[in-house]
Amino acid sequence: MIKSCATIALVPEITSGPWIYWHDLERSLAHASSLGFDAVELFTASAEVLDVSETQLLLEKYKLQLAAVGTGAGKVIHGLTLTDPDPNVRKKAIEFIESMIKLGAAFGAPAIIGSMQGNVVTGVDREEALNWLADGLIYLGKHAASLGVKLIYEPLNRYETNLINTLGDGVEFLKSRQIQHVGLLADLFHMNIEEADMAASIKSSGEYVIHVHFADSNRRPAGNGHSDFSEVANVLKEINYKGYVSAEAFAWPNSQSAATQTIKTFNQYFNQ
Ligand code: LER
Ligand code: MN
């Protein structure tokens, strides 16, 4: 069965971005639970800001799983990426992600590397940047596996990274560099920009897809844009996908309506 999930942003400094719920963990969990979501995905400033036992109790109280933790704050707040030309920054990026992997693993949840992959910046050779990314993913994949979880790598659209933009290129990268314990995230917003055919791409990369970000073409909650979810849903069922379809979408027009719209579209396409 495909499972539903809603994102919660818990970073006080950040006030806009593609997350359904904002700032208040317990209120968000209570609302997601009341709508019947299976899980939540958390976006935090660091691993330290979350009290593991308190969060475990809250998740139990609201009968929700933790699906994944995002690491994007490592870039947005701390300026760290795996492809920064400065080896010191790359080292700090690795340490930040390691701490997020450990946080997620306490709940059996994987960490996501999206914007922390960075970019090939001026003055850096593309091959060198890809080597740094591969080295980081190999090391972090092993770290995740040692804690009993996988690591999730997310191709992003061209306006966010010039490294890997499609699932196909993601598969090729993981295979050719022999990167273990790392699966791919199919973010339907990025894919709507980059893929010729979202469903076909998921089908051909199927065995690597371990997480899905769920948003419409305009990154509003699914059902508020022009993406067609029926083929994507059919193909996920066809490949026997059992992971989360996690709403990483704007809280448009507000968190409550965004969550309600998301679960409605989820139930329409993915929960049959
Ligand atoms: C992260 O999951 C993502 O999709 C990026 O666009 C960062 O917002
Ligand atoms: Mn995403």
Side-chain angles (χ1 to χ4, degrees), residues 193-205:
I193 296 170
E194 296 295 343
E195 307 282 355
D197 181 329
M198 296 203 286
S201 168
I202 290 173
K203 191 167 178 176
S204 57
S205 310

Side-chain angles (χ1 to χ4, degrees), residues 26-38:
E26 179 151 15
R27 251 186 85 187
S28 307
L29 295 176
H31 192 258
S33 179
S34 74
L35 292 178
F37 277 95
D38 296 307

Side-chain angles (χ1 to χ4, degrees), residues 39-105:
V40 292
E41 178 182 318
L42 298 182
F43 181 78
T44 63
S46 69
E48 290 74 41
V49 299
L50 208 67
D51 183 296
V52 170
S53 355
E54 239 173 61
T55 307
Q56 261 157 354
L57 285 175
L58 283 174
L59 288 167
E60 272 168 37
K61 178 173 173 188
Y62 293 104
K63 299 190 171 36
L64 289 162
Q65 300 294 311
L66 183 63
V69 292
T71 64
K75 179 181 179 196
V76 184
I77 300 207
H78 309 286
L80 307 172
T81 75
L82 294 174
T83 51
D84 194 287
D86 181 343
N88 234 332
V89 176
R90 295 201 300 278
K91 185 167 170 277
K92 285 193 181 138
I94 297 258
E95 286 164 3
F96 181 86
I97 297 168
E98 273 185 302
S99 68
M100 293 303 295
I101 290 173
K102 190 169 168 226
L103 171 68

